Amino acid sequence: MAGENAGKQRNSKKNGKAAPGLTRVTPLTQDPHAIRDTRKKLLEVAIGHEVRAFRKKLGITVADVASATDISVGMLSKIENGNTSPSLTTLQTLSRALGVPITAFFRRFEEEHSAVFVKAGEGVDVERRGTRAGHQYNLLGHIGSNTSGVVVEPYLITLTENSDIFPTFQHDGLEFLYMLEGEVVYRHGNNLYRMTPGDSLFFDADAPHGPEELTTLPIRYLSIISYPRGRGED
């Protein structure tokens, strides 16, 4: 089975060779530990960020905007860099040129950044397709409206002696599994992965996937599913 080569993959990584079946990872373009400039809290900086974002989304230059609005390139540069406070008349002119409502420029300044804290054992049991086979889905948190355009669903999944093997799942998005307890043979497409505590699996959820063999019970693993907003129901 493809997934039972996990030990070999670990050894190959120790020897400095790429693990079989794994593609070379592209270096991250974003520092996960970076701290955003506290000036982002300022209204001028927030407006400038949105003006630049909308301009780039249209694929036009600062000079193009200057030509369409009669606002100088220098002034537009100051606005985008948050170095000046544009008047409402200027914002209205920019909103027309960029094809967005004037309120769109205030989005970043007004948005709230949510966080969800769940104490151990206090997640919400939810009904998903696998619950019919005795798979327990415990939702660990949910953030509704956000600016990322992505929905993320973190679950703690428990399989016991009352759980059955269930026909494979398929849905939009990406899924990440992290084993906490027990042992399971997990299917993804035509590959099988024998997973024990500490193992993880990250995959395209559009391929058929799901537990193939419940080897050592009870089994507990984290499942984190992400998909574009408006899609991705099991």
Side-chain angles (χ1 to χ4, degrees), residues 31-46:
D31 181 0
H33 302 294
I35 299 176
R36 178 172 288 174
D37 189 340
T38 55
R39 294 195 318 133
K40 290 291 183 185
K41 296 178 181 178
L42 298 177
L43 178 59
E44 292 86 350
V45 177

Side-chain angles (χ1 to χ4, degrees), residues 2-119:
E4 297 193 22
N5 291 325
K8 296 179 182 179
Q9 290 178 355
R10 294 191 187 98
N11 292 334
S12 64
K13 281 190 277 188
K14 290 179 182 178
N15 295 330
K17 300 177 181 179
L22 295 180
T23 56
R24 187 174 298 277
V25 177
T26 303
L28 294 175
T29 57
Q30 178 172 280
D31 181 0
H33 302 294
I35 299 176
R36 178 172 288 174
D37 189 340
T38 55
R39 294 195 318 133
K40 290 291 183 185
K41 296 178 181 178
L42 298 177
L43 178 59
E44 292 86 350
V45 177
I47 290 174
H49 181 279
E50 296 305 315
V51 171
R52 181 186 294 111
F54 288 126
R55 175 179 62 77
K56 289 186 174 181
K57 187 175 181 179
L58 291 175
I60 58 178
T61 65
V62 172
D64 293 330
V65 178
S67 177
T69 61
D70 288 330
I71 301 173
S72 70
V73 170
M75 176 58 69
L76 286 170
S77 179
K78 288 182 179 180
I79 291 173
E80 289 195 359
N81 290 318
N83 294 326
T84 188
S85 181
S87 68
L88 287 176
T89 300
T90 297
L91 290 178
Q92 184 178 48
T93 301
L94 287 172
S95 73
R96 289 171 179 168
L98 298 173
V100 297
I102 194 171
T103 54
F105 298 138
F106 300 93
R107 182 189 63 177
R108 182 170 293 268
F109 182 75
E110 295 178 340
E111 71 185 14
E112 293 185 5
H113 299 279
S114 302
V116 177
F117 175 65
V118 178
K119 293 286 289 182

Side-chain angles (χ1 to χ4, degrees), residues 128 149-153 169-177 186 188 201-209 223-234:
R128 290 186 70 89
V150 176
V151 176
V152 179
E153 298 177 353
F169 306 96
Q170 277 183 278
H171 53 83
D172 289 330
L174 303 173
E175 186 163 354
F176 175 79
L177 306 182
Y186 200 91
H188 178 256
L201 185 62
F202 185 43
F203 55 85
D204 182 345
D206 189 51
H209 60 275
S223 169
I224 302 175
I225 302 171
S226 63
Y227 52 85
R229 184 174 303 283
R231 303 170 65 186
E233 290 297 324
D234 259 1

